[in-house]
Amino acid sequence: MSFSKTNCAIAAALSILLAGCGGGSDQEAPLGAPGDGNNLGGIAATGAPLSGAAVVVKSLTGAVVASTQTNSAAFFEVALDPANAPYILETSDTSVSPAKTYQALVLASDISASGANLNITPISTMVARIMLNEGLSGKTANQIKTLRTQAAEQ
């Protein structure tokens, strides 16, 4: 049986999508977030879940905007105002010494009334650091979104 490049690409894409799907479980329900329904949630993990980890939301100037904590399944959720995006999500793995800090860059399009997901991982950290090094000041939301896509492809 031979596989075409298209079939392999479709199989790879489906594998990635299905890997993020999880299934039913007896884990606790996601944390609720206060606010007007503009929520962002996700998982903080380094390969292992970061359960009970503090998640801090900062503006690009470094000011703390909000904070929350992951639950036992490493899920977090926080209410954010998309009009003030972009934000930086930050958490630390304190189980290692010295502690390691992980980040993710949040765009206005990542925040949703239905509770969009954005995970904090070593990969999101690399993408965020590449983008922050590019300088986001003065860039439009579409330019920032393009930069994030390009950074993820590096």
Side-chain angles (χ1 to χ4, degrees):
M1 173 196 288
S2 72
F3 290 98
S4 71
K5 288 181 183 179
T6 303
N7 286 342
C8 288
I10 291 170
L14 287 174
S15 297
I16 292 168
L17 288 172
L18 292 175
C21 284
S25 74
D26 57 357
Q27 295 178 356
E28 60 190 79
L31 302 173
D36 61 2
N38 288 321
N39 296 328
L40 177 73
I43 302 289
T46 62
L50 296 176
S51 303
V55 176
V56 178
V57 182
K58 296 180 179 181
S59 68
L60 290 182
T61 63
V64 174
V65 175
S67 63
T68 189
Q69 190 170 3
T70 62
N71 66 14
S72 64
F75 181 84
F76 67 90
E77 188 170 22
V78 65
L80 296 172
D81 183 355
N84 295 325
Y87 299 103
I88 300 167
L89 294 176
E90 194 169 276
T91 191
S92 293
D93 181 357
T94 57
S95 70
V96 296
S97 182
K100 292 186 178 181
T101 301
Y102 298 94
Q103 299 172 319
L105 189 66
V106 181
L107 305 179
S109 59
D110 295 324
I111 303 166
S112 153
S114 62
N117 286 321
L118 183 66
N119 297 331
I120 308 171
T121 67
I123 294 173
S124 72
T125 300
M126 289 188 303
V127 170
R129 290 181 182 164
I130 290 169
M131 292 184 66
L132 293 171
N133 286 336
E134 290 286 327
L136 302 179
S137 178
K139 291 194 172 31
T140 67
N142 283 338
Q143 289 170 325
I144 294 171
K145 195 171 192 175
T146 299
L147 278 174
R148 184 169 69 178
T149 301
Q150 291 170 345
E153 291 171 350
Q154 289 186 4

